[in-house]
mmCIF file of all heavy atoms in Angstrom:
data_model
loop_
_atom_site.group_PDB
_atom_site.id
_atom_site.type_symbol
_atom_site.label_atom_id
_atom_site.label_comp_id
_atom_site.label_asym_id
_atom_site.label_seq_id
_atom_site.Cartn_x
_atom_site.Cartn_y
_atom_site.Cartn_z
ATOM 1 N N ASP A 43 32.863 -39.007 -2.340
ATOM 2 C CA ASP A 43 32.174 -37.726 -2.124
ATOM 3 C C ASP A 43 31.122 -37.483 -3.208
ATOM 4 O O ASP A 43 30.004 -37.054 -2.917
ATOM 5 C CB ASP A 43 33.173 -36.572 -2.104
ATOM 6 C CG ASP A 43 34.096 -36.600 -0.896
ATOM 7 O OD1 ASP A 43 33.804 -37.331 0.073
ATOM 8 O OD2 ASP A 43 35.128 -35.899 -0.940
ATOM 9 N N LEU A 44 31.481 -37.774 -4.461
ATOM 10 C CA LEU A 44 30.522 -37.616 -5.561
ATOM 11 C C LEU A 44 29.343 -38.570 -5.408
ATOM 12 O O LEU A 44 28.198 -38.202 -5.676
ATOM 13 C CB LEU A 44 31.222 -37.849 -6.906
ATOM 14 C CG LEU A 44 32.198 -36.760 -7.345
ATOM 15 C CD1 LEU A 44 32.986 -37.226 -8.566
ATOM 16 C CD2 LEU A 44 31.471 -35.468 -7.639
ATOM 17 N N LEU A 45 29.619 -39.788 -4.974
ATOM 18 C CA LEU A 45 28.549 -40.766 -4.759
ATOM 19 C C LEU A 45 27.587 -40.291 -3.676
ATOM 20 O O LEU A 45 26.366 -40.347 -3.845
ATOM 21 C CB LEU A 45 29.141 -42.121 -4.382
ATOM 22 C CG LEU A 45 28.144 -43.229 -4.043
ATOM 23 C CD1 LEU A 45 27.245 -43.528 -5.237
ATOM 24 C CD2 LEU A 45 28.871 -44.479 -3.595
ATOM 25 N N HIS A 46 28.136 -39.782 -2.564
ATOM 26 C CA HIS A 46 27.270 -39.291 -1.491
ATOM 27 C C HIS A 46 26.447 -38.091 -1.954
ATOM 28 O O HIS A 46 25.265 -37.977 -1.608
ATOM 29 C CB HIS A 46 28.107 -38.926 -0.265
ATOM 30 C CG HIS A 46 28.665 -40.128 0.439
ATOM 31 N ND1 HIS A 46 29.930 -40.159 0.953
ATOM 32 C CD2 HIS A 46 28.140 -41.343 0.702
ATOM 33 C CE1 HIS A 46 30.158 -41.330 1.497
ATOM 34 N NE2 HIS A 46 29.083 -42.077 1.352
ATOM 35 N N ALA A 47 27.052 -37.232 -2.740
ATOM 36 C CA ALA A 47 26.310 -36.075 -3.266
ATOM 37 C C ALA A 47 25.185 -36.548 -4.187
ATOM 38 O O ALA A 47 24.063 -36.033 -4.121
ATOM 39 C CB ALA A 47 27.250 -35.138 -4.017
ATOM 40 N N ALA A 48 25.481 -37.528 -5.031
ATOM 41 C CA ALA A 48 24.459 -38.058 -5.941
ATOM 42 C C ALA A 48 23.327 -38.722 -5.167
ATOM 43 O O ALA A 48 22.150 -38.564 -5.514
ATOM 44 C CB ALA A 48 25.095 -39.053 -6.916
ATOM 45 N N GLN A 49 23.676 -39.449 -4.108
ATOM 46 C CA GLN A 49 22.637 -40.081 -3.294
ATOM 47 C C GLN A 49 21.746 -39.034 -2.631
ATOM 48 O O GLN A 49 20.525 -39.198 -2.562
ATOM 49 C CB GLN A 49 23.274 -40.987 -2.239
ATOM 50 C CG GLN A 49 23.878 -42.250 -2.812
ATOM 51 C CD GLN A 49 24.693 -43.045 -1.799
ATOM 52 O OE1 GLN A 49 25.223 -42.492 -0.842
ATOM 53 N NE2 GLN A 49 24.789 -44.337 -2.030
ATOM 54 N N GLY A 50 22.348 -37.949 -2.173
ATOM 55 C CA GLY A 50 21.569 -36.862 -1.582
ATOM 56 C C GLY A 50 20.640 -36.235 -2.611
ATOM 57 O O GLY A 50 19.472 -35.947 -2.315
ATOM 58 N N LYS A 51 21.135 -36.036 -3.832
ATOM 59 C CA LYS A 51 20.299 -35.475 -4.903
ATOM 60 C C LYS A 51 19.155 -36.421 -5.255
ATOM 61 O O LYS A 51 18.039 -35.976 -5.538
ATOM 62 C CB LYS A 51 21.141 -35.192 -6.141
ATOM 63 C CG LYS A 51 22.257 -34.207 -5.933
ATOM 64 C CD LYS A 51 21.838 -32.834 -6.329
ATOM 65 C CE LYS A 51 23.043 -31.912 -6.212
ATOM 66 N NZ LYS A 51 22.670 -30.568 -5.929
ATOM 67 N N MET A 52 19.442 -37.718 -5.245
ATOM 68 C CA MET A 52 18.382 -38.692 -5.552
ATOM 69 C C MET A 52 17.288 -38.648 -4.486
ATOM 70 O O MET A 52 16.097 -38.684 -4.804
ATOM 71 C CB MET A 52 18.964 -40.105 -5.660
ATOM 72 C CG MET A 52 19.759 -40.330 -6.926
ATOM 73 S SD MET A 52 20.551 -41.957 -6.999
ATOM 74 C CE MET A 52 19.152 -43.037 -6.875
ATOM 75 N N ARG A 53 17.688 -38.557 -3.212
ATOM 76 C CA ARG A 53 16.690 -38.454 -2.139
ATOM 77 C C ARG A 53 15.875 -37.174 -2.294
ATOM 78 O O ARG A 53 14.653 -37.178 -2.151
ATOM 79 C CB ARG A 53 17.380 -38.484 -0.775
ATOM 80 C CG ARG A 53 17.805 -39.869 -0.333
ATOM 81 C CD ARG A 53 18.245 -39.887 1.130
ATOM 82 N NE ARG A 53 19.468 -39.126 1.356
ATOM 83 C CZ ARG A 53 20.694 -39.594 1.195
ATOM 84 N NH1 ARG A 53 20.873 -40.830 0.792
ATOM 85 N NH2 ARG A 53 21.741 -38.833 1.434
ATOM 86 N N GLN A 54 16.559 -36.095 -2.621
ATOM 87 C CA GLN A 54 15.883 -34.812 -2.797
ATOM 88 C C GLN A 54 14.912 -34.875 -3.977
ATOM 89 O O GLN A 54 13.772 -34.397 -3.885
ATOM 90 C CB GLN A 54 16.919 -33.717 -3.027
ATOM 91 C CG GLN A 54 16.334 -32.335 -3.128
ATOM 92 C CD GLN A 54 17.412 -31.282 -3.378
ATOM 93 O OE1 GLN A 54 18.535 -31.603 -3.763
ATOM 94 N NE2 GLN A 54 17.069 -30.027 -3.160
ATOM 95 N N SER A 55 15.332 -35.477 -5.086
ATOM 96 C CA SER A 55 14.444 -35.561 -6.248
ATOM 97 C C SER A 55 13.259 -36.478 -5.968
ATOM 98 O O SER A 55 12.146 -36.215 -6.433
ATOM 99 C CB SER A 55 15.215 -36.029 -7.490
ATOM 100 O OG SER A 55 15.651 -37.355 -7.347
ATOM 101 N N GLY A 56 13.469 -37.523 -5.177
ATOM 102 C CA GLY A 56 12.350 -38.396 -4.792
ATOM 103 C C GLY A 56 11.331 -37.641 -3.957
ATOM 104 O O GLY A 56 10.121 -37.786 -4.157
ATOM 105 N N SER A 57 11.824 -36.840 -3.049
ATOM 106 C CA SER A 57 10.929 -36.038 -2.208
ATOM 107 C C SER A 57 10.156 -35.030 -3.046
ATOM 108 O O SER A 57 8.948 -34.847 -2.866
ATOM 109 C CB SER A 57 11.752 -35.318 -1.140
ATOM 110 O OG SER A 57 10.949 -34.463 -0.367
ATOM 111 N N LEU A 58 10.858 -34.366 -3.979
ATOM 112 C CA LEU A 58 10.183 -33.409 -4.859
ATOM 113 C C LEU A 58 9.153 -34.099 -5.743
ATOM 114 O O LEU A 58 8.067 -33.547 -5.989
ATOM 115 C CB LEU A 58 11.210 -32.669 -5.716
ATOM 116 C CG LEU A 58 12.101 -31.670 -4.974
ATOM 117 C CD1 LEU A 58 13.187 -31.142 -5.902
ATOM 118 C CD2 LEU A 58 11.270 -30.528 -4.399
ATOM 119 N N ALA A 59 9.455 -35.291 -6.197
ATOM 120 C CA ALA A 59 8.498 -36.029 -7.028
ATOM 121 C C ALA A 59 7.236 -36.349 -6.231
ATOM 122 O O ALA A 59 6.116 -36.237 -6.752
ATOM 123 C CB ALA A 59 9.142 -37.312 -7.563
ATOM 124 N N GLU A 60 7.423 -36.723 -4.969
ATOM 125 C CA GLU A 60 6.256 -37.008 -4.122
ATOM 126 C C GLU A 60 5.435 -35.747 -3.887
ATOM 127 O O GLU A 60 4.205 -35.783 -3.922
ATOM 128 C CB GLU A 60 6.707 -37.603 -2.781
ATOM 129 C CG GLU A 60 7.185 -39.035 -2.875
ATOM 130 C CD GLU A 60 6.093 -39.988 -3.355
ATOM 131 O OE1 GLU A 60 4.933 -39.860 -2.893
ATOM 132 O OE2 GLU A 60 6.398 -40.839 -4.201
ATOM 133 N N GLN A 61 6.115 -34.616 -3.679
ATOM 134 C CA GLN A 61 5.405 -33.351 -3.491
ATOM 135 C C GLN A 61 4.649 -32.971 -4.756
ATOM 136 O O GLN A 61 3.485 -32.533 -4.695
ATOM 137 C CB GLN A 61 6.378 -32.229 -3.130
ATOM 138 C CG GLN A 61 6.913 -32.307 -1.724
ATOM 139 C CD GLN A 61 7.935 -31.211 -1.441
ATOM 140 O OE1 GLN A 61 8.353 -30.490 -2.344
ATOM 141 N NE2 GLN A 61 8.342 -31.101 -0.180
ATOM 142 N N ASN A 62 5.282 -33.145 -5.918
ATOM 143 C CA ASN A 62 4.621 -32.840 -7.188
ATOM 144 C C ASN A 62 3.408 -33.727 -7.409
ATOM 145 O O ASN A 62 2.367 -33.268 -7.886
ATOM 146 C CB ASN A 62 5.606 -32.994 -8.350
ATOM 147 C CG ASN A 62 6.605 -31.864 -8.410
ATOM 148 O OD1 ASN A 62 6.366 -30.797 -7.869
ATOM 149 N ND2 ASN A 62 7.736 -32.103 -9.063
#
Side-chain angles (χ1 to χ4, degrees):
D43 292 345
L44 289 171
L45 177 61
H46 289 140
Q49 288 171 333
K51 300 265 185 208
M52 287 176 59
R53 282 191 293 275
Q54 184 181 16
S55 67
S57 176
L58 290 173
E60 287 298 318
Q61 287 177 352
N62 286 339

